[in-house]
Amino acid sequence: MKALSLSLIFSAVVMSSGMAQTQTAAAPKPKTAYTIAQQFNSLKYRSSPYKEFGHDYRVVRESGLEALLKSVQDTLKAREVSIKNAGKETAIKLEKTQQELAAQKARAQALQQDNARKEQQLRQIDHDISHLSVLGLDMDKQLYVVVSIAIILGLGALAAVFAFMYKNSNSVTQEKIRAYEEIDQELKDHKAAAREREVKLKREMQSEANKVEELKQELAELRKRITV
C-alpha cells in the first residue's frame, strides 16, 4: 500500500512538473502580479490530488511552496514597510496635530485672557455706572440717592424749624421793638413835658425875680422917702 502511495506521489510530482513546464513555456504573468490567494489557487490547481485512508491529499512542487512562501514574506515585508511608513506618517501627523493643538490651546488661552479682560472692563463699566465717588468714598448710586433725599429732607425739616423759630423770634423782636418805641416815645414825651415845665418854671421864677426886683426898688424908694 505504501509503495502504491509513493508511486502515486511520484507520478503526481512528475505530472505537476510537466504542467508547470507547460505553463512556464506559455510565459505566464510575473508572480508579483498575482495576489497570494491567486498564487495559492494556482498552486492548488497545479497539484496532484490523491486519497489515502479516506482523506484527500494533494502533491505540490517544493518550488511552488517556496515561491508562495516568498510571496507571503514579500507581502509581509511590504506590509511591514507600509506599516512603518504609515507609523512615520502617523507620527508626523500626530506631531503636526500636537503642534496645531498647542497653537489652538495658545489661541484659546489668549481668547480666555481677552475675554477675562473684557469681562473685567465690563464689570468696571457696570461698577462705574452704578457707583460714584463721594468725598473719596465709593458709594452705590441708589444709596447715594437715598442718602441725598434723606439729607435734603433733614435740611428741609431743619430749615422749617429755623424758619418757625425765626418767625417766633422775629415776632418777639418786633413786639420788643414796638415796646421800646412806645417807651422811647413816652420818654420823649416825658422829656418834652419836663422841658416845658422847666421853661414854665423858669419863666415863673423870672417873673417872681422881676417882682422881687420891683419890690426891692419900691422898698428902696420908700426908704428914701422916709428918710427925707
Side-chain angles (χ1 to χ4, degrees), residues 30-42 68 71 75:
K31 292 181 180 180
T32 55
Y34 295 99
T35 63
I36 294 175
Q38 289 174 344
Q39 293 181 25
F40 177 78
N41 291 329
S42 176
L68 180 61
S71 297
T75 302

Side-chain angles (χ1 to χ4, degrees), residues 168-187:
N168 291 336
S169 177
N170 189 37
S171 62
V172 172
T173 303
Q174 293 296 329
E175 289 178 359
K176 289 183 178 180
I177 290 173
R178 284 195 295 271
Y180 172 77
E181 289 178 351
E182 290 177 358
I183 293 172
D184 184 64
Q185 187 63 37
E186 290 178 358
L187 181 61

Side-chain angles (χ1 to χ4, degrees), residues 17-34:
S17 63
M19 291 175 64
Q21 290 176 358
T22 305
Q23 290 178 358
T24 302
K29 294 191 294 181
K31 292 181 180 180
T32 55
Y34 295 99

Side-chain angles (χ1 to χ4, degrees), residues 88 113 152 163:
K88 291 180 180 179
Q113 292 176 356
I152 291 171

Side-chain angles (χ1 to χ4, degrees), residues 44 49 51 118 185 210 223:
K44 183 179 178 181
K51 183 177 293 187
K118 290 181 179 179
Q185 187 63 37
N210 292 332
R223 286 177 179 176

Side-chain angles (χ1 to χ4, degrees), residues 186-203:
E186 290 178 358
L187 181 61
K188 288 180 180 179
D189 294 340
H190 179 71
K191 287 181 177 180
R195 190 178 297 109
E196 289 178 357
R197 287 195 298 270
E198 184 181 359
V199 171
K200 185 177 180 181
L201 288 173
K202 284 181 178 182
R203 288 177 181 177

